[in-house]
Amino acid sequence: MKLQSNSVINFIAILIAFFGGSWVFVVKPRLVILGYGRQLQPINNRSCNKIPQLSACEKIVLHQPTGVLYLACSTISSRVHWTPALGRLNSTGASRKDYVATYDPTTSAITRLELRGFESTRGLSLHGMDVVSSSSNPSELFVYLVNHRAPPGNLLATDVGADSVIEIFKTTLGGKAMTHIKTVRNPVINTPNDVVGSADGKSFYFTNDHGEKLGMLRVLDFFGRSTSSVGYCHVEVGCKYAIQNMHGNNGIARGPNSTIYVANCLKGGLNILDIQRDNTLVITDFVPADRGMDNLSTDAEGFVWAAAFPDTLKLVLKHFSDPSINVPSTALRFSVNSGSIATPHKARYKAETMFEDDGNAASGITSVVYDSQRNFLFLSGHASSHLTICKL
């Protein structure tokens, strides 16, 4: 009897050690990244203005020469019902009339770009976006859009997921319309989140944020399962995976020469990748961060900016269900440590917090852009009630 009691005690001790170790080494570090126990430190959040006419704009892109902002927008209600990246798949509540808008900070003029030549009966349900000046005519711009369409026919999104594609449009500087060029649909475009396009309107890279459209397996990504990827498409050749088995892919941006940046939204940090001759990608470095990150942008000085989540738990569990609940926001800036070579005591890159707010000035931001020439910081969110503009 005593031997049996000792066996039970030993078994319980093993369980306590196992689950205690899991809490210390697996669960708690991830909860900390998600915001557990984090203390906010407000930074650069006082000289800010709100533009309520521009709400639910997931992605913003700056046209640096003119200072004009391009925004991929929806409705707050649609974001609550239809966000495939978060498993929100009530397609009956999805907007089919999402839009791209421009905002000119010098005049405060807002223009919703009219669609021309776009005949899809399933409309636009926008997520990621890129706007690129044409290599042949700088006054022309190519607009690349992640469009999460509802599945065709009688298929249900809850059964098959979203029928996501990349749309390519063309517009002009100061124009009030954009003309549809092509819809790119391919099995590699599985769970697209964000996109960066080429200057000829023919090719693009995009992130897949999960390996599956549906299912509980997606939850395992939170614990480190690496199923996200970056795809590459050329309209005349097709699509392929540029790199697979990445973790937590979200925003993507293009850097100098052959550099691509990809944000990790689950454990935080910036992946730095290099484009190969066959258009595949190789990871060359990783810059850690203490929180998850969403969309990326680069400024005229070469800094990389990231919209980041100081409280992911509140963002996902509360704000995306009820966007009227404010949630904190952060803007991070990544740069090279000047004049240094990486050593055990000094990293090659550094991440700095350039903006932080409790949600009153900027709530739930998913995109941040800095105009370094005019000193404006623009912040917008997937389900935010307004665009925020701050003077740094």
Side-chain angles (χ1 to χ4, degrees):
M1 188 70 175
K2 184 176 180 180
L3 181 61
Q4 185 177 5
S5 298
N6 288 340
S7 298
V8 171
I9 292 172
N10 290 337
F11 178 69
I12 293 174
I14 291 172
L15 287 179
I16 292 173
F18 174 78
F19 287 108
S22 297
W23 166 257
V24 172
F25 296 108
V26 179
V27 179
K28 186 177 179 181
R30 284 167 171 77
L31 289 177
V32 169
I33 289 174
L34 294 177
Y36 175 76
R38 191 189 307 278
Q39 297 296 316
L40 289 178
Q41 297 180 336
I43 299 173
N44 292 327
N45 65 338
R46 293 189 176 184
S47 300
C48 300
N49 295 317
K50 300 177 182 179
I51 312 297
Q53 297 91 334
L54 293 168
S55 61
C57 301
E58 155 76 20
K59 181 70 183 289
I60 52 180
V61 177
L62 175 70
H63 182 255
Q64 185 64 66
T66 61
V68 171
L69 205 65
Y70 287 76
L71 308 94
C73 306
S74 183
T75 67
I76 291 176
S77 174
S78 179
R79 297 302 198 194
V80 172
H81 292 283
W82 183 249
T83 301
L86 298 173
R88 295 181 176 273
L89 297 171
N90 176 16
S91 61
T92 60
S95 165
R96 300 290 190 274
K97 297 182 179 180
D98 287 6
Y99 61 94
V100 174
T102 63
Y103 176 76
D104 187 342
T106 60
T107 64
S108 298
I110 298 172
T111 303
R112 290 195 184 193
L113 299 184
E114 174 191 344
L115 300 182
R116 293 178 180 171
F118 184 67
E119 300 177 354
S120 171
T121 58
R122 288 184 279 168
L124 291 178
S125 294
L126 299 182
H127 197 157
M129 175 183 70
D130 195 17
V131 180
V132 185
S133 296
S134 169
S135 55
S136 61
N137 183 356
S139 66
E140 289 185 342
L141 304 172
F142 293 107
V143 182
Y144 298 82
L145 298 168
V146 174
N147 184 13
H148 292 305
R149 306 183 302 184
N154 295 322
L155 295 174
L156 298 177
T158 50
D159 293 332
V160 299
D163 183 25
S164 301
V165 296
I166 306 295
E167 309 283 3
I168 306 176
F169 287 82
K170 183 168 67 174
T171 187
T172 57
L173 287 176
K176 296 184 178 181
M178 59 182 190
T179 302
H180 189 240
I181 298 175
K182 191 173 184 63
T183 297
V184 182
R185 185 177 187 271
N186 189 281
V188 176
I189 305 174
N190 184 36
T191 57
N193 190 294
D194 197 17
V195 60
V196 288
S198 65
D200 63 0
K202 293 184 178 181
S203 64
F204 53 87
Y205 288 93
F206 62 94
T207 53
N208 283 314
D209 51 45
H210 288 84
E212 304 87 12
K213 291 177 181 282
L214 302 165
M216 290 302 296
L217 280 177
R218 288 162 55 108
V219 177
L220 296 179
D221 291 5
F222 166 72
F223 296 101
R225 193 179 71 126
S226 299
T227 64
S228 59
S229 59
V230 178
Y232 171 81
C233 296
H234 192 288
V235 297
E236 297 172 356
V237 178
C239 301
K240 66 180 181 181
Y241 287 107
I243 187 170
Q244 294 180 272
N245 301 318
M246 295 183 70
H247 180 250
N249 283 4
N250 198 296
I252 185 170
R254 191 183 293 272
N257 301 319
S258 60
T259 302
I260 293 287
Y261 303 109
V262 174
N264 187 307
C265 67
L266 296 178
K267 73 173 184 179
L270 182 72
N271 291 287
I272 302 175
L273 304 97
D274 188 67
I275 300 174
Q276 306 300 293
R277 296 183 67 177
D278 62 354
N279 295 309
T280 58
L281 297 172
V282 173
I283 297 175
T284 59
D285 217 326
F286 177 78
V287 189
D290 66 351
R291 62 201 69 192
M293 300 174 2
D294 203 301
N295 288 311
L296 303 173
S297 63
T298 55
D299 67 21
E301 306 299 321
F303 294 104
V304 181
W305 292 74
F309 310 137
D311 193 343
T312 306
L313 294 172
K314 186 176 181 181
L315 177 76
V316 174
L317 299 178
K318 294 185 177 181
H319 176 75
F320 285 143
S321 296
D322 181 0
S324 67
I325 298 174
N326 285 344
V327 64
S329 296
T330 301
L332 299 178
R333 185 179 72 176
F334 292 85
S335 60
V336 176
N337 265 324
S338 58
S340 71
I341 299 175
T343 70
H345 304 289
K346 189 169 186 180
R348 182 180 177 187
Y349 299 93
K350 62 181 178 180
E352 303 170 274
T353 300
M354 302 302 294
F355 174 91
E356 190 155 284
D357 180 69
D358 63 3
N360 182 52
S363 178
I365 65 165
T366 56
S367 191
V368 56
V369 168
Y370 180 57
D371 186 342
S372 58
Q373 295 180 1
R374 301 166 185 86
N375 203 29
F376 286 126
L377 182 68
F378 301 95
L379 309 106
S380 183
H382 182 75
S384 299
S385 62
H386 56 270
L387 169 71
T388 300
I389 306 174
C390 300
K391 196 77 172 177
L392 294 191

